[in-house]
Amino acid sequence: MRQLRLIVLPAVIVMVATSLSIDKIPLQPCRTSALQVDSHPLSMHNNNKKRETIHTVTRRNMLTITGTLSAMLIRQIANAADNNAPKVLATKNKRVGGLADKIRGIGYIMDELQRDLMQERWADVETYPQQLRSYVPLLTTYTDSAFPSDAPTDKGLRVALRYEVGRFFASLERFKQATSRQALDEAYVAYSDMALHFDRYLRVGGLYSYYDSTIDLERYYQDIDDKALVYANPKKDPPLVRDLIILIKGPDKGRTGIMIGKYADGSGKIAIKLDRFKGIREIRLVPEAWVAKRLGEQEPDDVFLIPRKPEKATS
């Protein structure tokens, strides 16, 4: 863990310093000899345009260098995390016991909630807010136990985790209000926010059960005709909530899942839940143009295969 922090902190400092310095590049005047000076307005305009072009190219080159440097640093951090994984996990498990598995269990409850919401079983849906609120002490205990030190990294992680918990339960309150009115679209958006913030908590808290080193899948499709991906025309037949989808653009191109929410705030964003991988269902918030409805015979989303608990017999 100490080795990982020694890599993370310099990495963050370099990236921040580099990004801040880009905007401070001044427009340098062109040095010309007396024979080159032309006071004609058109020539002066052209000179100014040249200077602006040089400045833009310089900024673009520096941004490219910064992006490359960031990617290299990210790879170093990932490698260090992989190399130290057994030691880190052993230490963390010693501190937090079985809390990690219990927190991952919230994802199963979220799956059941998705199933009941999409089937509009309002009586069942109303029972979830109280059940999810009972996990507040568990999340708080994990946050304080897994990252207990006064080191800047632990402090930053505690702040980030507490923020995600706060956003999760704020979204849960909006979900409760929407379901009390049986406002389905509002409930879908509130559920999407809940799922998104819980997903971020898992990521920040190191609770994912796997590490995916693939940053961008889109490059694997560069030489493949888009016709190889079977999907409906997004403009003529856009996906709706509950539709099985495929990502046709972006870093997750080719991955499949289900649409869980569409934001009506003018952002053009869609919330999707990717198909399960190693026990985890990742949440993505992506532009509408990246998502298309899958065609052909498909297996239902796995939340609809979750067996229901037997109802208590009423006497």
Side-chain angles (χ1 to χ4, degrees):
M1 179 64 77
R2 185 172 180 272
Q3 180 181 358
L4 182 59
R5 287 172 181 165
L6 290 175
I7 295 176
V8 172
L9 291 176
V12 173
I13 293 170
V14 170
M15 285 187 285
V16 171
T18 308
S19 61
L20 289 176
S21 64
I22 291 173
D23 289 328
K24 296 181 179 179
I25 301 174
L27 282 173
Q28 298 294 341
C30 294
R31 296 184 179 179
T32 58
S33 64
L35 295 176
Q36 292 175 316
V37 174
D38 189 347
S39 60
H40 193 278
L42 181 59
S43 298
M44 294 177 64
H45 174 74
N46 290 338
N47 288 336
N48 289 334
K49 292 291 288 184
K50 289 178 181 177
R51 287 198 297 271
E52 292 175 4
T53 301
I54 293 171
H55 183 257
T56 302
V57 171
T58 303
R59 283 172 54 86
R60 188 182 301 125
N61 290 340
M62 289 195 68
L63 286 170
T64 301
I65 294 170
T66 305
T68 304
L69 178 61
S70 301
M72 292 171 61
L73 291 171
I74 289 170
R75 282 196 294 271
Q76 289 181 344
I77 293 168
N79 291 335
D82 287 341
N83 294 334
N84 289 276
K87 186 187 299 181
V88 172
L89 290 176
T91 304
K92 186 175 292 186
N93 287 338
K94 186 177 179 180
R95 288 201 301 258
V96 301
L99 289 179
D101 289 336
K102 292 180 181 178
I103 291 174
R104 292 190 193 102
I106 298 175
Y108 184 80
I109 299 173
M110 292 292 289
D111 288 342
E112 291 184 307
L113 174 54
Q114 176 194 333
R115 175 200 63 194
D116 290 342
L117 177 62
M118 290 185 171
Q119 292 179 344
E120 299 184 45
R121 297 172 64 99
W122 296 109
D124 293 330
V125 167
E126 290 177 356
T127 65
Y128 285 93
Q130 183 177 357
Q131 184 181 4
L132 289 169
R133 282 199 172 278
S134 67
Y135 282 89
V136 171
L138 181 68
L139 296 170
T140 302
T141 301
Y142 178 82
T143 299
D144 294 337
S145 301
F147 309 100
S149 76
D150 291 330
T153 49
D154 275 13
K155 285 183 177 179
L157 288 169
R158 287 198 300 271
V159 170
L161 289 171
R162 288 167 184 163
Y163 173 82
E164 297 302 339
V165 170
R167 299 303 298 167
F168 177 85
F169 286 107
S171 302
L172 178 61
E173 183 60 32
R174 295 203 314 274
F175 177 81
K176 182 179 178 181
Q177 294 175 4
T179 55
S180 67
R181 304 191 308 272
Q182 296 188 7
L184 188 58
D185 290 340
E186 293 180 29
Y188 281 146
V189 171
Y191 173 83
S192 299
D193 285 338
M194 291 164 56
L196 182 65
H197 290 296
F198 178 65
D199 179 81
R200 289 175 177 170
Y201 185 96
L202 294 179
R203 288 177 183 276
V204 175
L207 290 167
Y208 261 48
S209 57
Y210 69 94
Y211 172 73
D212 185 3
S213 60
T214 303
I215 306 262
D216 190 344
L217 298 177
E218 194 169 23
R219 64 179 183 271
Y220 297 119
Y221 291 86
Q222 286 179 351
D223 300 324
I224 299 177
D225 193 337
D226 282 344
K227 293 180 181 179
L229 299 176
V230 181
Y231 55 86
N233 187 319
K235 294 183 179 179
K236 295 181 180 179
D237 188 14
L240 304 174
V241 176
R242 289 193 57 181
D243 281 338
L244 300 178
I245 58 88
I246 183 170
L247 286 163
I248 58 176
K249 293 181 181 178
D252 291 304
K253 183 176 180 179
R255 296 189 67 177
T256 55
I258 186 172
M259 180 170 163
I260 60 174
K262 181 176 181 178
Y263 291 81
D265 56 0
S267 64
K269 296 288 187 179
I270 285 178
I272 61 172
K273 192 180 211 177
L274 295 176
D275 288 339
R276 195 175 305 278
F277 180 69
K278 294 187 178 180
I280 297 291
R281 298 200 63 177
E282 300 175 71
I283 308 299
R284 294 286 190 271
L285 193 61
V286 298
E288 190 173 357
W290 290 13
V291 183
K293 186 191 301 185
R294 277 187 273 169
L295 293 178
E297 187 174 351
Q298 305 285 338
E299 291 289 331
D301 190 76
D302 71 5
V303 302
F304 298 110
L305 303 178
I306 300 173
R308 291 190 175 279
K309 297 174 184 176
E311 296 181 2
K312 295 181 180 178
T314 55
S315 56

